[in-house]
Amino acid sequence: RKAGTHCNAMASSSSCWIHALGGVPASACAAAPSGPSTPRRTAAAKAPSRRLRACPRPSVLSVCTLLAASAGLVDGSAGDRRHGHHVSGYDLQGGSRETHAALAKRAAQAEAAAVLAQLQAELPQCGISGQVGASGFVDFGPRFQKPVCNRSMSTNCTFSYSAIKCPEECPFIAKSKTFPCLLQCVTGEGCSTAHAGLGLPDNVSHLCTTCSIPNCRLCKNHQRCTTCYDGFVVSEDHTSCNLEIEMRIYLSTILRVVLGFLVFLLVLALFWSKCNGPNPNWENNNRAIRRAMRHRHMTKVQRWCLKEGSPTPPRQRYRLSVNVHKEHIMGQGMALFYNSLVFLMAISLLLWGVTFLVYKVSDIESVLGKVSSFSGTGLLNERQMFLMKDGLEVPGMEPAIVVSPLETCGHRESSDVANAMRTFGNLSFHGCWILYVTMFAGSLYHAQYQQKRSLDYLNSNNTMAEYAVCLSGLPEKVTDECKLKAWLQDEMCSATGKKPKDPDAEIYGVSIGYNYMEIAWEVDCMITRMIEKLEVGLKLYDQEMTTAGADLGKVIDEDKQKVQSWFKETGEGQLLSSGEAFLVFKHKVGKQTFLKNFSSKNPTSHALYHFSAPTKKVGVSDVHIEPPAACWWHFGISTKSLSGRLVKSFAKMITMIALVQGLVVYNFAKYILMPYISGGNPAGGSMFTIAGIILGWVNMLICIQIWFISYELGFHTKDRRDSVVFWANLGFSGLNVCFQLYTVVLQEFSLTSESHCMTSFFEMRSLVRLAVEHAYAHDIFLMCGPGMFFTGYLLCPLMAGVVPYMWNMLLMKMIYVWRCLPTPFLRILRMMLPWAPDDLDRYPVRRAEKGLEGMELGLPWDYAGNIVLPSICCSMLCLSSPWVWQVFRLLFFWSLFYYFWCRYMHLRFMRAQYYTTSRVDSMVNFAWGIPLSIVAFATVVWGLRTGWLPCDDWETWQKGLMCFGAFFLSLVLWMLSYWRYAQPWRHPSHVLKSDPSILHVKDNTLYTWFNCNPVYTLKCKYYIQDLPPAERKAFDNPIASGCSGEVRFFEIGKEYLFLPPAKFERMEEVQDDWMEFETYLDAFVCWLEGDQGKVKNVQEKLRAKFGNEFKPVEMIAMEFGEVAQHLLGFEEHDDEGPAGHDRTELRARLMSEPGGRAERFDSEIGALNLDFTAPSASP
């Protein structure tokens, strides 16, 4: 500061605090006249201390003397920043300003010379103390104490660079970014080369200083730039540096054009809507969108109750605190996932504790604290760091603080660092191997515990997998379930001597996996039309709102003929079997008996040979998946074909990821990120923001493509497909993380000219390496929290929920309701809408439902964070920094946050999905070897640094090879140990605590091995039910149905079709949960359309008047015609119903009804404040 008058009002201060890092003269405290003072030690006799020294009731003279001396005020003139330190003083109350100001000025002039003389006496040879050699070590001695050009040198000065005189050919001092005691003598043009960001050579102080113009390589002054860094171009007036790629593509012009085009579209939309009106089918289309909004709620995870007469509502939301081990919620996969999060909490707590203990027990805190005081990112409090960086007054500092970048330097600095580093290295080595052994043993215990919990889950819950076995190798002509069931029942009885009705021998039915992959899309369309017919019959919407429209009946007749041709004994178009089938028993004990006698894994079991192929053995294996997790459309793919598909898909994924990394990520780094890094500035600006958004969308599209590629692989079970998704997503996330870590490393090394840091990575004596590690650890910590650890997850509900929901809703309204743009524009918008039909006039309910479905519950994606984030944190074990233990603390709190975040996302946000086996969790346990092996890597690194591994004469590349060898050896050891001791592929038979009938389990699960089979469901609907009565009665195999016996197909979101009539009427008793964002967005959409209050009024009054006679479905209550239909008592909705006629015609029909129906209608409508005689309202 231009100080000297700022110590004017300190006489009445009760105390002062002096930041005495570099030593404080005893006279600073001894000169206090207002109270006795006895310093404990002198600065010359003791080593520098980081503690704050209290001066009891100091005088004005003593405080101002210290300020003036440390600021270089020898003659009372203003100090400046030439000496590299900052001073700030504060006025305190007491005395008149003029008196104290004059007294302070005279005192500073009188005592400054004496204090400076004492400081110089303590360091008589202040200047260059050594030079950094090629290995990164500081070489001391008389011949190294002469300043030289372009060579890293060390200094023992404590408060000022003024004693250092560089040669005339390189007169400027460039301070090292990595360590305060290192510097270089450079030319003016070499300032930014020695230290990125120091682009202004100060001719007065002869220091390389920071230029106020960002990304300027050489500044003439703070207002004019001469040369910019690579990737930037200087502006015409030389006052700024602009990103070169931004200027080349004319980004500002493009943004203005895009903004203008959006404004043009808005004006055009308003004009077009005003002139041409809404879509001709806007009412039906709007009802379809409303139905889709309800469907999205139905697809969430919830409990369904089919028991007729039960007071339990048909559907209930699970509490977020529900015990996922005792409740059968989407399979055992969820229970194992939350177990893994608890295990991660324990591991992160262990890592946090050990690293914190190592850091505190060793003396490294003093060394790293000194580095922190220079870098401004360490142990100093926030106000002190701010003052140290900028030298500004900070309110609340009493009464003064003195900080110098050179406060860590001195003639004992090198030995202090070496001793502290040696102690820290020894403790780190022992801590790492203890961590590795503990984590290895704990991970094996966790793996075995997961297997045990999987077994406990099966013992606590009745699942469909406990009643079924899988048959393979059946002849492709075997498509008659009754004949196959009868043959298997005979084989069972002959092998066991049991009767067909015995509990341990009774077969419930057979579900054949058909080979229909070539017509899978056709089968899906048939299932869709079958569901639509059911929902139209339930009066949920009109026939015109189906995919087939008014021709639904005709198209269904065609479907029936097609299905019947599949199962005729003669003729073309017969559907063949895939050779696989599920044999379902009525009791669990029947399955165990069958496996005991016919399992392919049992060498003493009986062999099964079908009578139509007596030489081909039928394979028998256990089943561990639930029916919804079977990929029925892939049953026709052989193992050999699957292997070829797997290789092609793997090559496709690698190519796609490589293209993205090469075309998108590389260019993003080269043209946007690297120019900012080279200039020592954080990336920013509009171009960086736009590119970041594009990169985020590309990553999301890659994840979607990974899912589609895995979906088309041809796996017969969902758990195998999920395993591929996990590994692919883990690899892709790992590549992105490696890229981010690489940019951090590149940034740290680009900000300093020292190139020997990597060569001294396995040594303990390099000050440069120590400071670079500390800065690198700090950058990783900032990268992890909150961005990587929290921000992405917190933004997920917005970016993967609210934004797609509102965007798709807007597209639906613009195209199919408002029709507010010309047809060519609407066709372009339709390409952005998922599941949009080709027709621009009609929007079927089924397409709208698919378009508004949320993201599915994706454990393979959720598991990836359990591996990637711990791997990042464990990689910091090789670094010497307090940020190491702090990042593990962050990991612990992240795992705690992630546990509850996943609870919300799984039970309130995501679309339900089944994970019925432990396969994905086993894959995660295999991948856990990655962070575990990184700990082994760090152990070897510290062993080499400290000499516990005697490899001092090895080359650097040999030591690096040894470290990576330890990593891969640990990875192989973990996988073998996990395979041997946890035995993830072994499925032990669990104890039958209860053996209820499969009919009882069916009421709880809704799904069976029959109603999840698409082809068999169509066969039951269109073939079996049309058989002659005698043949229909003789069909001895369960129908694909719900509890009512009517044919139903199980699909997530359509569970309500299985409800009995009494339960169906109560389906909406449990309304939407307040924790679902759709609840509020739906209300907002209704408010925008102006019908929220009217709808609520209709619902409440109809429920109050008619009770259960009125179906409380929002979509029905919305439509005035449907309300009138109920009041009229229509049983069927036909073309003459109220929705297809004008309101006036409806009233005319009412007048012709006997018994005062018209008067009742008038009274009811009057009570509801609805005008049915008015024409249809506008959108």
Side-chain angles (χ1 to χ4, degrees), residues 938-954:
T939 304
V940 176
V941 168
W942 284 112
L944 292 172
R945 288 176 175 178
T946 56
W948 285 96
L949 299 177
C951 304
D952 293 339
D953 56 341
W954 285 24

PDB file of all heavy atoms in Angstrom, residues 938-954:
ATOM      1  N   ALA A 938       0.200 -47.038  -6.242  1.00  0.00           N
ATOM      2  CA  ALA A 938       0.707 -46.001  -5.343  1.00  0.00           C
ATOM      3  C   ALA A 938       1.670 -46.587  -4.311  1.00  0.00           C
ATOM      4  O   ALA A 938       2.654 -45.931  -3.932  1.00  0.00           O
ATOM      5  CB  ALA A 938      -0.453 -45.298  -4.649  1.00  0.00           C
ATOM      6  N   THR A 939       1.413 -47.800  -3.856  1.00  0.00           N
ATOM      7  CA  THR A 939       2.316 -48.436  -2.903  1.00  0.00           C
ATOM      8  C   THR A 939       3.712 -48.615  -3.490  1.00  0.00           C
ATOM      9  O   THR A 939       4.725 -48.327  -2.839  1.00  0.00           O
ATOM     10  CB  THR A 939       1.749 -49.799  -2.471  1.00  0.00           C
ATOM     11  OG1 THR A 939       0.422 -49.626  -1.942  1.00  0.00           O
ATOM     12  CG2 THR A 939       2.625 -50.447  -1.410  1.00  0.00           C
ATOM     13  N   VAL A 940       3.785 -49.071  -4.735  1.00  0.00           N
ATOM     14  CA  VAL A 940       5.084 -49.252  -5.392  1.00  0.00           C
ATOM     15  C   VAL A 940       5.762 -47.906  -5.626  1.00  0.00           C
ATOM     16  O   VAL A 940       6.985 -47.775  -5.468  1.00  0.00           O
ATOM     17  CB  VAL A 940       4.908 -50.032  -6.709  1.00  0.00           C
ATOM     18  CG1 VAL A 940       6.231 -50.142  -7.453  1.00  0.00           C
ATOM     19  CG2 VAL A 940       4.344 -51.418  -6.431  1.00  0.00           C
ATOM     20  N   VAL A 941       4.996 -46.878  -5.985  1.00  0.00           N
ATOM     21  CA  VAL A 941       5.577 -45.551  -6.192  1.00  0.00           C
ATOM     22  C   VAL A 941       6.248 -45.051  -4.922  1.00  0.00           C
ATOM     23  O   VAL A 941       7.405 -44.590  -4.933  1.00  0.00           O
ATOM     24  CB  VAL A 941       4.487 -44.569  -6.668  1.00  0.00           C
ATOM     25  CG1 VAL A 941       4.996 -43.132  -6.609  1.00  0.00           C
ATOM     26  CG2 VAL A 941       4.055 -44.897  -8.084  1.00  0.00           C
ATOM     27  N   TRP A 942       5.567 -45.152  -3.810  1.00  0.00           N
ATOM     28  CA  TRP A 942       6.161 -44.685  -2.551  1.00  0.00           C
ATOM     29  C   TRP A 942       7.300 -45.589  -2.103  1.00  0.00           C
ATOM     30  O   TRP A 942       8.239 -45.122  -1.454  1.00  0.00           O
ATOM     31  CB  TRP A 942       5.091 -44.591  -1.475  1.00  0.00           C
ATOM     32  CG  TRP A 942       4.203 -43.396  -1.637  1.00  0.00           C
ATOM     33  CD1 TRP A 942       2.881 -43.375  -1.963  1.00  0.00           C
ATOM     34  CD2 TRP A 942       4.591 -42.033  -1.477  1.00  0.00           C
ATOM     35  NE1 TRP A 942       2.407 -42.101  -2.038  1.00  0.00           N
ATOM     36  CE2 TRP A 942       3.436 -41.243  -1.730  1.00  0.00           C
ATOM     37  CE3 TRP A 942       5.778 -41.397  -1.154  1.00  0.00           C
ATOM     38  CZ2 TRP A 942       3.458 -39.857  -1.668  1.00  0.00           C
ATOM     39  CZ3 TRP A 942       5.798 -40.009  -1.084  1.00  0.00           C
ATOM     40  CH2 TRP A 942       4.650 -39.251  -1.340  1.00  0.00           C
ATOM     41  N   GLY A 943       7.222 -46.861  -2.440  1.00  0.00           N
ATOM     42  CA  GLY A 943       8.341 -47.733  -2.124  1.00  0.00           C
ATOM     43  C   GLY A 943       9.598 -47.350  -2.888  1.00  0.00           C
ATOM     44  O   GLY A 943      10.714 -47.404  -2.352  1.00  0.00           O
ATOM     45  N   LEU A 944       9.441 -46.953  -4.154  1.00  0.00           N
ATOM     46  CA  LEU A 944      10.585 -46.508  -4.940  1.00  0.00           C
ATOM     47  C   LEU A 944      11.103 -45.155  -4.454  1.00  0.00           C
ATOM     48  O   LEU A 944      12.310 -44.906  -4.438  1.00  0.00           O
ATOM     49  CB  LEU A 944      10.189 -46.415  -6.420  1.00  0.00           C
ATOM     50  CG  LEU A 944       9.885 -47.745  -7.123  1.00  0.00           C
ATOM     51  CD1 LEU A 944       9.324 -47.491  -8.511  1.00  0.00           C
ATOM     52  CD2 LEU A 944      11.142 -48.610  -7.205  1.00  0.00           C
ATOM     53  N   ARG A 945      10.222 -44.292  -4.061  1.00  0.00           N
ATOM     54  CA  ARG A 945      10.644 -42.968  -3.607  1.00  0.00           C
ATOM     55  C   ARG A 945      11.427 -43.026  -2.301  1.00  0.00           C
ATOM     56  O   ARG A 945      12.396 -42.291  -2.107  1.00  0.00           O
ATOM     57  CB  ARG A 945       9.421 -42.065  -3.422  1.00  0.00           C
ATOM     58  CG  ARG A 945       8.765 -41.607  -4.712  1.00  0.00           C
ATOM     59  CD  ARG A 945       7.509 -40.792  -4.398  1.00  0.00           C
ATOM     60  NE  ARG A 945       6.922 -40.230  -5.615  1.00  0.00           N
ATOM     61  CZ  ARG A 945       5.796 -39.512  -5.632  1.00  0.00           C
ATOM     62  NH1 ARG A 945       5.163 -39.263  -4.486  1.00  0.00           N
ATOM     63  NH2 ARG A 945       5.318 -39.039  -6.765  1.00  0.00           N
ATOM     64  N   THR A 946      10.994 -43.890  -1.396  1.00  0.00           N
ATOM     65  CA  THR A 946      11.602 -43.930  -0.067  1.00  0.00           C
ATOM     66  C   THR A 946      12.753 -44.918   0.037  1.00  0.00           C
ATOM     67  O   THR A 946      13.448 -44.932   1.048  1.00  0.00           O
ATOM     68  CB  THR A 946      10.534 -44.302   0.968  1.00  0.00           C
ATOM     69  OG1 THR A 946       9.928 -45.560   0.601  1.00  0.00           O
ATOM     70  CG2 THR A 946       9.463 -43.235   1.038  1.00  0.00           C
ATOM     71  N   GLY A 947      12.938 -45.748  -0.968  1.00  0.00           N
ATOM     72  CA  GLY A 947      14.023 -46.718  -0.917  1.00  0.00           C
ATOM     73  C   GLY A 947      13.646 -48.050  -0.319  1.00  0.00           C
ATOM     74  O   GLY A 947      14.501 -48.931  -0.165  1.00  0.00           O
ATOM     75  N   TRP A 948      12.382 -48.230   0.070  1.00  0.00           N
ATOM     76  CA  TRP A 948      11.950 -49.540   0.570  1.00  0.00           C
ATOM     77  C   TRP A 948      12.041 -50.583  -0.524  1.00  0.00           C
ATOM     78  O   TRP A 948      12.203 -51.773  -0.233  1.00  0.00           O
ATOM     79  CB  TRP A 948      10.513 -49.442   1.097  1.00  0.00           C
ATOM     80  CG  TRP A 948      10.426 -48.755   2.419  1.00  0.00           C
ATOM     81  CD1 TRP A 948      10.155 -47.442   2.651  1.00  0.00           C
ATOM     82  CD2 TRP A 948      10.631 -49.356   3.705  1.00  0.00           C
ATOM     83  NE1 TRP A 948      10.163 -47.164   3.996  1.00  0.00           N
ATOM     84  CE2 TRP A 948      10.444 -48.336   4.680  1.00  0.00           C
ATOM     85  CE3 TRP A 948      10.941 -50.636   4.145  1.00  0.00           C
ATOM     86  CZ2 TRP A 948      10.576 -48.563   6.042  1.00  0.00           C
ATOM     87  CZ3 TRP A 948      11.065 -50.873   5.510  1.00  0.00           C
ATOM     88  CH2 TRP A 948      10.891 -49.850   6.441  1.00  0.00           C
ATOM     89  N   LEU A 949      11.929 -50.173  -1.756  1.00  0.00           N
ATOM     90  CA  LEU A 949      12.194 -51.055  -2.892  1.00  0.00           C
ATOM     91  C   LEU A 949      13.541 -50.627  -3.479  1.00  0.00           C
ATOM     92  O   LEU A 949      13.650 -49.567  -4.092  1.00  0.00           O
ATOM     93  CB  LEU A 949      11.074 -50.941  -3.945  1.00  0.00           C
ATOM     94  CG  LEU A 949       9.679 -51.328  -3.468  1.00  0.00           C
ATOM     95  CD1 LEU A 949       8.668 -51.095  -4.577  1.00  0.00           C
ATOM     96  CD2 LEU A 949       9.635 -52.780  -3.013  1.00  0.00           C
ATOM     97  N   PRO A 950      14.605 -51.408  -3.268  1.00  0.00           N
ATOM     98  CA  PRO A 950      15.970 -50.979  -3.647  1.00  0.00           C
ATOM     99  C   PRO A 950      16.179 -50.992  -5.157  1.00  0.00           C
ATOM    100  O   PRO A 950      16.730 -51.935  -5.719  1.00  0.00           O
ATOM    101  CB  PRO A 950      16.857 -52.010  -2.941  1.00  0.00           C
ATOM    102  CG  PRO A 950      16.002 -53.226  -2.816  1.00  0.00           C
ATOM    103  CD  PRO A 950      14.588 -52.744  -2.654  1.00  0.00           C
ATOM    104  N   CYS A 951      15.727 -49.923  -5.808  1.00  0.00           N
ATOM    105  CA  CYS A 951      15.865 -49.816  -7.262  1.00  0.00           C
ATOM    106  C   CYS A 951      16.427 -48.451  -7.651  1.00  0.00           C
ATOM    107  O   CYS A 951      16.010 -47.853  -8.649  1.00  0.00           O
ATOM    108  CB  CYS A 951      14.519 -50.059  -7.946  1.00  0.00           C
ATOM    109  SG  CYS A 951      13.738 -51.635  -7.544  1.00  0.00           S
ATOM    110  N   ASP A 952      17.372 -47.945  -6.853  1.00  0.00           N
ATOM    111  CA  ASP A 952      17.880 -46.600  -7.105  1.00  0.00           C
ATOM    112  C   ASP A 952      18.627 -46.484  -8.428  1.00  0.00           C
ATOM    113  O   ASP A 952      18.653 -45.415  -9.045  1.00  0.00           O
ATOM    114  CB  ASP A 952      18.794 -46.174  -5.956  1.00  0.00           C
ATOM    115  CG  ASP A 952      18.023 -45.989  -4.654  1.00  0.00           C
ATOM    116  OD1 ASP A 952      16.789 -45.805  -4.738  1.00  0.00           O
ATOM    117  OD2 ASP A 952      18.640 -46.041  -3.579  1.00  0.00           O
ATOM    118  N   ASP A 953      19.265 -47.576  -8.846  1.00  0.00           N
ATOM    119  CA  ASP A 953      20.038 -47.510 -10.076  1.00  0.00           C
ATOM    120  C   ASP A 953      19.218 -47.800 -11.323  1.00  0.00           C
ATOM    121  O   ASP A 953      19.764 -47.873 -12.422  1.00  0.00           O
ATOM    122  CB  ASP A 953      21.212 -48.499  -9.996  1.00  0.00           C
ATOM    123  CG  ASP A 953      20.740 -49.918  -9.708  1.00  0.00           C
ATOM    124  OD1 ASP A 953      19.588 -50.071  -9.225  1.00  0.00           O
ATOM    125  OD2 ASP A 953      21.517 -50.872  -9.948  1.00  0.00           O
ATOM    126  N   TRP A 954      17.920 -47.968 -11.162  1.00  0.00           N
ATOM    127  CA  TRP A 954      17.047 -48.229 -12.314  1.00  0.00           C
ATOM    128  C   TRP A 954      16.777 -46.935 -13.061  1.00  0.00           C
ATOM    129  O   TRP A 954      16.762 -45.847 -12.483  1.00  0.00           O
ATOM    130  CB  TRP A 954      15.730 -48.855 -11.867  1.00  0.00           C
ATOM    131  CG  TRP A 954      15.840 -50.311 -11.472  1.00  0.00           C
ATOM    132  CD1 TRP A 954      16.959 -50.973 -11.046  1.00  0.00           C
ATOM    133  CD2 TRP A 954      14.784 -51.260 -11.444  1.00  0.00           C
ATOM    134  NE1 TRP A 954      16.675 -52.276 -10.756  1.00  0.00           N
ATOM    135  CE2 TRP A 954      15.334 -52.492 -11.000  1.00  0.00           C
ATOM    136  CE3 TRP A 954      13.437 -51.214 -11.748  1.00  0.00           C
ATOM    137  CZ2 TRP A 954      14.585 -53.648 -10.855  1.00  0.00           C
ATOM    138  CZ3 TRP A 954      12.674 -52.353 -11.607  1.00  0.00           C
ATOM    139  CH2 TRP A 954      13.237 -53.555 -11.170  1.00  0.00           C
TER     140      TRP A 954
END
